[in-house]
Amino acid sequence: MTYRELAIAGAWEITPKQHGDPRGVFLEYFQGEPFMKAVGHQFDLRQANCSVSAAGVLRGVHFADVPPGQAKYVTCAKGAVLDVAVDLRVGSPTFGQWDTVLLDDVDRRAIYLSEGLGHAFLSLEDDSTVLYLCSTGYSPGREHGVHPLDPEIGIEWPTTGRDGQPLELQLSAKDLAAPSLSEAVAAGLLPTQSEVQAYVSTLSS
């Protein structure tokens, strides 16, 4: 298993070693010790989620109040999604920037998103199945969103699916109503870099 830090500090691409034979494939998609060595602290698993999405479904950009935020370790068990980390930490050198990892059932990579980062993905195939390990449980009052099509962020979403056919984007009513990045800043919804750093430092102590 190899770790590669993305252009956004606190986000990592994880590539597992796959063991295949005529029966199929086996892999470990999360390992505690390598995670701790790469990231600097343990992953405190509090909830595991699964979503199944049709081609063109766009989920996010989602984030949670810090502290405690919600770190996510995400992989795609079936199909393919373009997964995106967005830096929503006010005061961060890469604030408003983003990076991507293709999660699919070929390379079977995962992505880790630390507290304070926004998370979104676009399904590139029908029935794409995404598994999330979360550091905190669902808390509606502490969870927010930023519009995934906000031109200020400028995420370059694919226009064709895994089969080469055009994608028709499908967003939830909640995501369609999400504020832009500037609106979220003005409303005081976003975590600050200092808040995130202070909280994350407690995880490694």
Side-chain angles (χ1 to χ4, degrees), residues 9 31 48 80 84 96 100 115-116 128 139 154 158 178 198 201:
Q31 297 174 330
V84 181
T100 67
E115 293 82 357
S128 291
S139 179
S201 68

Side-chain angles (χ1 to χ4, degrees), residues 4 22 43 46 66 76 80 82 101 107 114 129 141 176 179 194 197:
R4 179 179 70 87
F43 186 81
R46 296 301 178 97
V66 180
C76 182
L82 184 71
V101 174
D107 295 317
S114 182
T129 303
L176 282 170
S194 59
Q197 288 178 333

Side-chain angles (χ1 to χ4, degrees), residues 10-64:
W12 299 78
E13 174 194 84
I14 302 98
T15 303
K17 184 175 182 179
Q18 301 188 59
H19 306 275
D21 61 29
R23 299 171 300 159
V25 175
F26 174 84
L27 67 143
E28 297 170 342
Y29 83 91
F30 176 81
Q31 297 174 330
E33 290 299 319
F35 176 90
M36 186 166 60
K37 289 179 181 178
V39 176
H41 60 79
Q42 293 183 343
F43 186 81
D44 187 12
L45 174 62
R46 296 301 178 97
Q47 183 169 304
N49 301 334
C50 175
S51 68
V52 181
S53 303
V57 168
L58 176 54
R59 302 182 187 269
V61 177
H62 299 150
F63 67 99

Side-chain angles (χ1 to χ4, degrees), residues 13 19 25 53 59 62 65 121 141 146 149 151 157 160 182 186-187:
E13 174 194 84
H19 306 275
V25 175
S53 303
R59 302 182 187 269
H62 299 150
D65 290 339
F121 71 79
V146 172
L149 303 180
W157 296 109
T160 58
S182 293

Side-chain angles (χ1 to χ4, degrees), residues 56 58-61 86 120-122 146-158 168-171 175-176 178-181:
L58 176 54
R59 302 182 187 269
V61 177
V86 182
F121 71 79
L122 174 63
V146 172
H147 204 294
L149 303 180
D150 180 5
E152 183 179 357
I153 300 174
I155 299 171
E156 297 175 4
W157 296 109
E168 182 177 347
L169 297 185
Q170 303 178 59
L171 284 74
D175 288 343
L176 282 170
S180 67
L181 183 65

